[in-house]
Amino acid sequence: MSGNKYASVPLQQWMSDREQWPLLTDYMLQESNLPGPRSNLELAGCFAKLFGTSEVTDTAWALLSAWAQLSEADAKTNDPHEFLPFCAVCACGAHYPYADAGRRSQSEELLKSAMNDSRWRMREAAAMGLQYIGEFNFVLLKPLLEGWRPDSTLLEQRAFVAALAHPPLLKAEANVLYCLEMADEIMQGILSEPAKPADPEHYRVLSKGLEYSLSLFVAGQPEPGFAMLRRYAGTGDARMIKIVKSNLGKTRLSKKYPEQVMEILAGLTTG
């Protein structure tokens, strides 16, 4: 997300002048790479970084707010128009550390809404927005997540683990231990619910997130990480076993910690 390719494109000029918003909109749609399997993440990153400052005009903020709130009816999945709210939600996270109280509050609302969006790409934007906050300062991200944790939805929990499963956030031991604690709490929440979830699709999305994210946390702190996987492998719960097996199959664990991985897998086979 270097943005070098777009250095000569007057994105900031366009977004700060209402009369030029149509130029910006047309450009973003043309360069979105949608429809397609992967949107233009380089351009999205370039756009977000323009908001990584305290010098964002009210006009530019109005544009971001309008784009972030585009509904599925106006920006369908895999339509070029979906790129607009995707970029805007990412930019909410980039601006959050520099924003005043009013913009922070609005950003939180937009991020939370995106976490619960029916469009998978918008849910990714929410996780990426949180990563921008965490990269700026993990101390700023942690209380934000803590405020949402108690009453969080399954899709919000998925956003939490997807955001935290980001290597730049996992360099400090304290950060990784927090991630393991968060994951442990979410796994406990799943265990406390009936085997058949009330919303199967939302559970599927959360499970998919847990099926890879735990491996990054375990790789960061192997001793407590493998202890957690061992504990959930021993529950006999099919949901936990699926999540544990998926993480044990990730190369970052299977190649570097083959003995621990084989030990847990053997227990699953014989248990």
Side-chain angles (χ1 to χ4, degrees):
M1 296 197 297
S2 66
N4 291 338
K5 179 180 177 181
Y6 303 101
S8 62
V9 182
L11 299 176
Q12 192 158 30
Q13 175 185 321
W14 288 343
M15 72 188 190
S16 296
D17 183 347
R18 285 181 183 269
E19 292 185 0
Q20 297 189 63
W21 282 4
L23 293 174
L24 176 60
T25 300
D26 289 345
Y27 181 82
M28 299 294 279
L29 296 177
Q30 290 168 13
E31 296 291 321
S32 67
N33 289 351
L34 300 178
R38 188 178 178 86
S39 62
N40 190 337
L41 296 181
E42 183 180 358
L43 178 55
C46 180
F47 181 84
K49 286 179 180 179
L50 292 175
F51 285 84
T53 173
S54 58
E55 304 300 320
V56 173
T57 66
D58 289 341
T59 302
W61 184 252
L63 173 79
L64 179 146
S65 301
W67 281 7
Q69 296 178 74
L70 285 171
S71 68
E72 187 169 8
D74 297 315
K76 295 180 175 62
T77 298
N78 216 29
D79 183 279
H81 287 84
E82 186 188 23
F83 190 58
L84 304 181
F86 174 84
C87 290
V89 170
C90 290
C92 281
H95 184 57
Y96 189 86
Y98 305 92
D100 59 25
R103 288 185 182 178
R104 279 196 177 185
S105 178
Q106 188 176 0
S107 292
E108 290 170 18
E109 291 175 7
L110 294 171
L111 286 165
K112 192 170 185 179
S113 177
M115 291 180 209
N116 291 286
D117 202 288
S118 60
R119 295 164 290 183
W120 69 267
R121 195 169 273 115
M122 292 306 299
R123 298 195 296 268
E124 288 301 313
M128 291 170 67
L130 294 176
Q131 288 169 356
Y132 276 112
I133 298 171
E135 284 191 45
F136 179 86
N137 193 336
F138 197 82
V139 173
L140 189 61
L141 176 62
K142 187 176 174 180
L144 192 57
L145 299 183
E146 287 301 298
W148 285 328
R149 271 172 82 172
D151 302 310
S152 55
T153 66
L154 296 179
L155 292 182
E156 287 165 11
Q157 291 169 22
R158 185 269 171 189
F160 300 163
V161 295
L164 293 171
H166 184 51
L169 304 184
L170 302 175
K171 295 176 181 179
E173 177 181 346
N175 293 359
V176 181
L177 292 175
Y178 174 77
C179 294
L180 286 169
E181 176 196 332
M182 170 77 78
D184 194 12
E185 183 176 306
I186 291 172
M187 297 277 276
Q188 286 289 346
I190 294 172
L191 267 178
S192 69
E193 294 294 325
K196 187 175 181 179
D199 194 319
E201 175 59 17
H202 289 189
Y203 171 74
R204 183 193 70 79
V205 172
L206 171 58
S207 182
K208 284 290 185 183
L210 290 167
E211 285 167 31
Y212 77 89
S213 61
L214 298 189
S215 65
L216 281 103
F217 308 153
V218 174
Q221 284 294 314
E223 186 173 344
F226 277 111
M228 183 180 73
L229 292 184
R230 210 171 281 116
R231 190 167 71 252
Y232 285 110
T235 63
D237 185 278
R239 298 165 297 180
M240 299 293 103
I241 290 172
K242 181 180 180 182
I243 291 169
V244 170
K245 275 188 172 180
S246 179
N247 282 283
L248 292 176
K250 304 304 179 190
T251 304
R252 65 180 63 92
L253 297 186
S254 62
K255 288 288 181 69
K256 192 171 183 182
Y257 306 100
E259 292 183 8
Q260 293 93 322
V261 167
M262 291 306 298
E263 175 207 340
I264 297 174
L265 287 175
L268 289 173
T269 303
T270 59

